[in-house]
Amino acid sequence: MFAIFFTDAMDPFYLNITSFPTAFFTLFLLFCIFFWLFAVLGVVDLDFLDIDIPDSEVSVNDGLSGAGLLGGLLMRFKLGGVPIPIIATLISLFGWFFSYYIVHFLFGYLPFDWLRYVVGLPVLLVSLYVSAILTGFIIRPLRPIFQAADQEVQKGIVGQIAVVRTSRVDKEFGEAKFDDGGAGLIVKVRSYNEEVFKSGDLIVLLEYDEDKNFYRVISEPEFNGKATTKN
């Protein structure tokens, strides 16, 4: 059955998937396939690629960082609320199909090889754009499922200590990692008022905002001080 993959009839297929711009999506699709294989084997966690999406518009400083830029793009295309690996897989898959068939049916008419790169760049950008829109439409009914499951877990860890994992935590941005005895749980956190925490700081998950799905936090020393005062 697998012998067909080694016949000369498959040469056009291999040429298309390794040609620009399809090769771009082929690479990322292979990455996604290997990720899911490792996830099934328990080597990686489904949330390890997740980033935090700011509640408001991405600031100038955030926009210059990879996480801030990606978070802004996710907001723009309404791709939040679902694990990043699912989003990446769908975009890679849709983009692969679009670019493959464009290359297959149109690129054969180009008179010069160098035109493949000139035409290929717009094809790549359009494929990414259409794939992101289509992915946003596909994942829309999945968001409530993931959010409901996530919120049940989140409610149970109020009062626990976590470690800041982003460059900062303020009243609009931030993530922390809670040690749940396994791979760790990544949660969205926000500070009270103007307090800012940095990566590695110990914080206490003091209050859970169910509507916005994040925790209000204070520093561990401040929490211990309040607890001592009450006693």
Side-chain angles (χ1 to χ4, degrees):
M1 180 177 66
F2 295 101
I4 189 174
F5 292 104
F6 302 98
T7 62
D8 293 340
M10 293 296 294
D11 288 347
F13 172 78
Y14 295 133
L15 179 61
N16 287 340
I17 66 173
T18 56
S19 298
F20 184 78
T22 313
F24 174 86
F25 293 104
T26 300
L27 179 63
F28 278 95
L29 192 56
L30 286 173
F31 173 81
C32 292
I33 291 172
F34 280 111
F35 170 84
W36 288 112
L37 288 175
F38 286 128
V40 169
L41 294 174
V43 177
V44 297
D45 188 79
L46 188 63
D47 293 331
F48 99 104
L49 286 176
D50 277 0
I51 66 167
D52 188 38
I53 301 177
D55 297 327
S56 59
E57 293 297 324
V58 180
S59 66
V60 174
N61 292 332
D62 292 335
L64 295 176
S65 67
L69 178 60
L70 183 54
L73 289 173
L74 290 176
M75 285 195 301
R76 178 181 179 83
F77 290 100
K78 297 179 173 35
L79 296 174
V82 173
I84 294 293
I86 294 178
I87 296 171
T89 301
L90 289 174
I91 290 178
S92 299
L93 184 61
F94 293 140
W96 188 88
F97 274 109
F98 291 145
S99 61
Y100 175 84
Y101 283 106
I102 291 174
V103 169
H104 181 72
F105 288 110
L106 298 181
F107 276 34
Y109 295 101
L110 297 178
F112 305 108
D113 288 341
W114 59 268
L115 282 175
R116 287 176 170 267
Y117 296 96
V118 175
V119 179
L121 183 58
V123 171
L124 172 63
L125 297 177
V126 170
S127 296
L128 278 172
Y129 182 79
V130 173
S131 299
I133 293 177
L134 187 56
T135 298
F137 177 78
I138 294 294
I139 68 173
R140 190 178 304 164
L142 300 178
R143 288 195 193 100
I145 299 175
F146 284 98
Q147 290 174 353
D150 186 54
Q151 287 176 357
E152 288 302 316
V153 175
Q154 308 278 22
K155 293 176 185 177
I157 60 174
V158 172
Q160 300 298 316
I161 297 174
V163 181
V164 175
R165 68 184 293 266
T166 46
S167 60
R168 75 177 197 283
V169 167
D170 56 31
K171 64 180 182 179
E172 293 185 347
F173 179 85
E175 281 186 343
K177 185 172 184 178
F178 169 71
D179 185 4
D180 60 352
L185 182 65
I186 306 301
V187 294
K188 291 183 178 182
V189 292
R190 303 290 184 266
S191 67
Y192 289 96
N193 302 320
E194 301 301 324
E195 192 172 11
V196 178
F197 303 101
K198 64 180 184 301
S199 177
D201 285 350
L202 294 179
I203 54 177
V204 178
L205 309 174
L206 194 63
E207 178 186 359
Y208 179 63
D209 189 319
E210 185 173 342
D211 293 332
K212 297 182 179 179
N213 192 29
F214 64 65
Y215 291 91
R216 291 291 182 186
V217 300
I218 60 175
S219 68
E220 184 189 27
E222 183 182 358
F223 177 79
N224 291 335
K226 288 184 177 180
T228 301
T229 302
K230 288 180 180 180
N231 291 335

